[in-house]
């Protein structure tokens, strides 16, 4: 099993407020890692450190190292455009561009220099198939993405993320705005996606973490309390706080 990210001694501050404390973690390649914990414990903040999205927030300071394939992504020379191509992100609310389905998907590849129409057509078909949206959309590729249902929009956003061939996909509560049927469609996709991609998913739904993930990290007040195989976290946690959380005693 290969390590994709190696996080060491990570601290993050919003101004004077310390949101992440001394985090050490490894994230494994072609696995699904779930981040769980009560609201405000730092899950989204941690997720954003993995592709340096926190850089866009003023007054953030970060200490420690995060290595992606053994190179520190916080090194001054690290190419941010390259990083965000390799580490894509899907958000809580589906956020397609107000463009056609086709144009949503080719947006990233075009920025990265793909011009050939046949290649772009191929990317659209490949990614829509990867998210099981091809059959529903192949006859309306040049219609607005905003005409899709919420669940379809979220699958389109995943396809848009896959279009630039990332290695890692970060997902921040990707199903919390969706109905149960759309949620289970997306959960069903995740396992297939791990053939090619490494996935890190924030979820406040513990059942979801249990269903979809290989590894689970339990966050509390900016710290990682416990990080292990999902079956260990859910059936035999080592820390009393983890046990209290997963048995529903708080959060
Ligand atoms: N942009 C920000 N500026 C200041 N504080 C923030 C910002 N974003 C998050 N926080 C604070 O950092 C802590 C962790 O937030 P967050 O990572 O969003 O938690 P979670 O995703 O687990 O709900 C919270 O106390 C939150 O209020
Ligand atoms: Mg969050």
């Amino acid at each position: 099993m290969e390590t994709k990210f190696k996080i060491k001694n990570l601290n993050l501050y919003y101004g004077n407020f310390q949101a992440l404390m001394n985090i050490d973690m490894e994230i494994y390649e072609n696995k699904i890692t779930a981040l769980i914990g009560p609201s405000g414990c730092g899950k989204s903040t941690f997720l954003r450190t993995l592709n340096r999205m926190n850089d866009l927030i003023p007054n953030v300071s970060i200490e420690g190292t995060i290595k992606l394939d053994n190179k520190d992504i916080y090194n001054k020379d690290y190419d941010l455009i390259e990083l965000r191509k390799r580490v894509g992100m899907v958000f809580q609310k589906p956020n397609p561009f107000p463009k056609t389905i086709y144009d949503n998907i080719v947006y990233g590849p075009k920025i990265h220099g793909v011009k050939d129409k046949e290649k772009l057509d191929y990317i659209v078909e490949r990614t829509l198939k990867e998210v099981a949206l091809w059959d529903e959309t192949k006859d309306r590729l040049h219609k607005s993405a905003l005409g899709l249902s919420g669940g379809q929009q979220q699958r389109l956003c995943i396809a848009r993320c896959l279009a630039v061939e990332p290695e890692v996909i970060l997902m921040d509560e990707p199903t919390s705005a969706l109905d149960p049927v759309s949620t289970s469609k997306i959960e069903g996709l995740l396992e297939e996606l791990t053939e090619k991609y490494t996935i890190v998913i924030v979820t406040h739904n513990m059942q979801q973490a249990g269903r979809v993930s290989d590894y689970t990290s339990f966050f509390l007040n900016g710290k990682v309390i416990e990080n292990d195989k999902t079956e260990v976290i859910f059936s035999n946690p080592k820390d009393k706080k983890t046990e209290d959380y997963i048995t529903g005693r708080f959060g």
Side-chain angles (χ1 to χ4, degrees), residues 14 17 19 38-46 48 57 202:
Y14 293 112
F17 173 72
S39 183
C41 66
K43 304 178 298 293
S44 297
T45 299
F46 175 73
R48 288 193 299 262
I57 303 172
V202 172

Side-chain angles (χ1 to χ4, degrees), residues 34-38 43 173 175 187 201-213 215-219 230-231 233-234 237 241-251:
L35 312 179
I36 63 168
K43 304 178 298 293
E173 307 201 25
T175 64
E187 287 183 5
I201 181 171
V202 172
T203 174
H204 64 242
N205 179 331
M206 274 186 283
Q207 287 74 26
Q208 179 169 68
R211 283 192 299 268
V212 306
S213 70
Y215 288 83
T216 296
S217 285
F218 171 54
F219 280 68
T230 297
E231 69 237 35
I233 295 285
F234 281 88
K241 291 191 278 294
T242 314
E243 184 179 341
D244 286 350
Y245 184 68
I246 58 149
T247 55
R249 248 164 272 177
F250 67 94

Side-chain angles (χ1 to χ4, degrees), residues 81-115:
I81 293 174
E82 176 71 13
L83 176 66
R84 303 230 173 93
K85 178 179 181 301
R86 293 177 65 187
V87 185
M89 198 156 189
V90 175
F91 298 88
Q92 181 169 359
K93 284 223 188 89
N95 59 350
F97 305 130
K99 295 171 178 283
T100 67
I101 294 167
Y102 187 98
D103 285 339
N104 264 273
I105 295 177
V106 300
Y107 185 86
K110 278 185 168 169
I111 286 178
H112 290 285
V114 183
K115 293 197 191 85

